[in-house]
């Protein structure tokens, strides 16, 4: 696998702070957390 | 109106508690596990309504106007956002050619290699939160960060819609229709560490081979998985509470294991870690997969009525003979009979189940397999069979 110059954690941080897709901060965080868990097969939660 | 609904839900709740506590309930709870089948109940498909929340809720819940149900086993809604996975470049979830069945394609996952085991053992969090996601979601593994972020954002928008649609389905089923949901936020859940390897990290065939070829590394990985889990709540918080919501455990690898391996990888931890909850009054819904009659005697070593079994391949009457005086049986109709569609044969089986299992409590009506695919049952057959069961449930 190629090494990228960014991390998944950085992408999720940007998603949580990006009001353009969901203005409600709580909903953004909840969606990001649920999605992160889904992507890693419900094994590790988003640390935040 | 609100009071009537509350009464109906309270009645359903009380009957459920009585049945799983070995008291004859006023009404044997009639339930079903449903996955994607509802979309096909009136001749349509999931693809017809996918992406349209109103149409999705309506198509999913319409069959409940005709099929009597007191409770829903396991939950409701669409289990995975196929579109989100697709946006991120994964083919792990796909909709079958019937337009309705949602398939999990394990073969499309990039599982860990033998070499990766050490990464899992050394830093499970780091591996799963970075490398695993990049390996399995190509759209998040491109050179341009802006491009990767654009995909993640598009996927998040889709995922949000998916979650909101499922919330509306739950509201319809557990709110408006007052079906009993036997899980809740307090549900204590157990999944064996081996299942995480089997289902998620290493895949079915490799995990089963590894148990024989490299058991030490499997055990080390299981320990790392256990260490990563969130701490369990205090069992004292459950003392004196009603036995709803149920606790939860689901078989995956268990039916492939010999009895000694079943003990090692599943039952010993279940008994050790969850006995305090059972002693406090928690009852676990055990969703079976495959055959597990050969290990069912283990459940005599935990408190009476601490488990409610959803059977799968095993004969319900054999299971009842083996453990029916000690643990609760969820049975009553089989997926084979529903699919075959001979209503009289279905009714004969339903009658036999009620005659055998219902006296004395310890029985809830449930199929042996979920309504999963479009062709799993016709609405006409399901309606007739469930209406018949509903009549028997009140006697």
């Amino acid at each position: 696998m190629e090494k990228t110059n960014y991390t998944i954690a950085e992408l999720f941080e940007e998603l949580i702070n990006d009001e353009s897709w969901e203005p409600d901060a709580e909903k953004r965080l909840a969606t990001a957390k649920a999605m992160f868990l889904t992507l890693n097969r419900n094994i590790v939660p988003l640390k935040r | 109106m609100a009071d009537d609904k509350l009464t109906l839900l309270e009645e359903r709740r009380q009957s459920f508690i009585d049945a799983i506590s070995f008291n004859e309930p006023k009404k044997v709870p009639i339930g079903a596990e449903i996955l994607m089948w509802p979309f096909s109940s009136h001749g349509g498909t999931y693809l017809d309504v996918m992406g349209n929340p109103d149409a999705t809720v309506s198509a999913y819940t319409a069959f409940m106007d005709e099929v009597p149900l007191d409770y829903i086993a396991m939950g409701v809604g669409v289990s995975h956002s196929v579109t989100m996975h697709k946006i991120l470049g994964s083919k792990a979830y796909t909709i079958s050619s019937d337009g309705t069945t949602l398939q999990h394609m394990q073969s499309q996952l990039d599982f860990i290699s033998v070499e990766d085991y050490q990464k899992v053992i050394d830093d499970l969090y780091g591996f799963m939160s970075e490398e695993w996601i990049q390996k399995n979601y190509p759209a998040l593994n491109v050179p341009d960060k802006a491009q990767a972020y654009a995909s993640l954002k598009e996927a998040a928008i889709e995922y949000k819609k998916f979650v909101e649609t499922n919330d509306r389905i739950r509201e319809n089923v557990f709110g408006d229709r007052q079906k009993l949901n036997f899980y809740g936020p307090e549900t204590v859940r157990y999944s064996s560490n081996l299942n995480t390897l089997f289902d998620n990290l290493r895949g079915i065939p490799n995990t089963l081979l590894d148990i024989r070829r490299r058991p030490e590394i499997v055990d080390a990985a299981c320990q790392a998985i256990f260490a990563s889990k969130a701490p369990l709540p205090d069992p004292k918080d459950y003392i004196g509470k009603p036995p709803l919501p149920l606790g939860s455990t689901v078989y995956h690898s268990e039916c492939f294991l010999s009895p000694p391996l079943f003990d090692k990888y599943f039952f010993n931890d279940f008994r050790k870690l969850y006995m305090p909850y059972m002693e406090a009054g928690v009852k676990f819904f055990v969703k079976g997969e495959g055959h597990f009659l050969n290990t069912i005697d283990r459940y005599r070593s935990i408190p009476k009525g601490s488990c409610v079994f959803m059977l799968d391949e095993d004969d319900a009457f054999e299971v009842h003979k083996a453990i029916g005086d000690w643990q609760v049986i969820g049975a009553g109709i089989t997926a084979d009979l529903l699919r075959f569609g001979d209503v009289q044969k279905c009714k004969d089986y339903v009658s036999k189940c009620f005659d055998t299992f219902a006296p004395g409590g310890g029985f809830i009506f449930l199929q042996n397999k979920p309504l999963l695919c479009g062709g799993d049952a016709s609405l006409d057959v399901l309606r007739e069979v469930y209406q018949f069961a509903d009549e028997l449930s009140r006697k």
Side-chain angles (χ1 to χ4, degrees), chain A residues 1-24 27-28 30-48, chain B residues 80 84-85 88 93 104 106 109 124-125 128-137 139-145 148-149 151-153 155-157 159-160 163-164 196 199-201 225 228:
Chain A
M1 200 179 72
E2 289 198 20
K3 181 93 179 137
T4 55
N5 64 355
Y6 57 89
T7 65
I8 296 296
E10 286 168 8
L11 293 180
F12 270 87
E13 194 58 32
E14 194 173 339
L15 189 69
I16 289 164
N17 293 320
D18 182 352
E19 294 178 11
S20 70
W21 67 277
E22 168 57 61
D24 183 325
K27 273 191 190 170
R28 279 201 309 276
T31 305
K33 281 184 167 182
M35 200 170 148
F36 181 82
L37 256 181
T38 300
L39 298 191
N40 71 58
R41 315 277 304 149
N42 289 307
I43 295 176
V44 293
L46 186 63
K47 278 186 187 166
R48 198 167 190 278
Chain B
H80 296 279
M84 180 204 76
H85 288 279
L88 296 178
Y93 294 95
H104 174 204
Q106 251 211 4
L109 282 174
L124 179 68
Y125 186 88
M128 292 310 296
S129 59
E130 293 291 337
E131 188 172 336
W132 170 272
I133 292 177
Q134 287 199 317
K135 262 161 60 123
N136 282 284
Y137 295 94
L140 303 180
N141 187 26
V142 292
D144 182 4
K145 184 181 177 186
Y149 179 70
S151 298
L152 184 66
K153 184 171 150 182
I157 291 165
Y159 189 73
K160 186 176 65 140
V163 169
E164 286 169 353
T196 301
D199 240 18
N200 300 315
L201 292 182
I225 291 161
S228 77

Side-chain angles (χ1 to χ4, degrees), chain B residues 238-244 275-283 305-306:
Chain B
Y238 292 82
I239 295 173
K241 301 258 177 78
L244 282 175
M275 183 70 102
Y277 298 92
M278 297 174 203
E279 286 171 344
V282 175
K283 299 173 185 297
S306 53

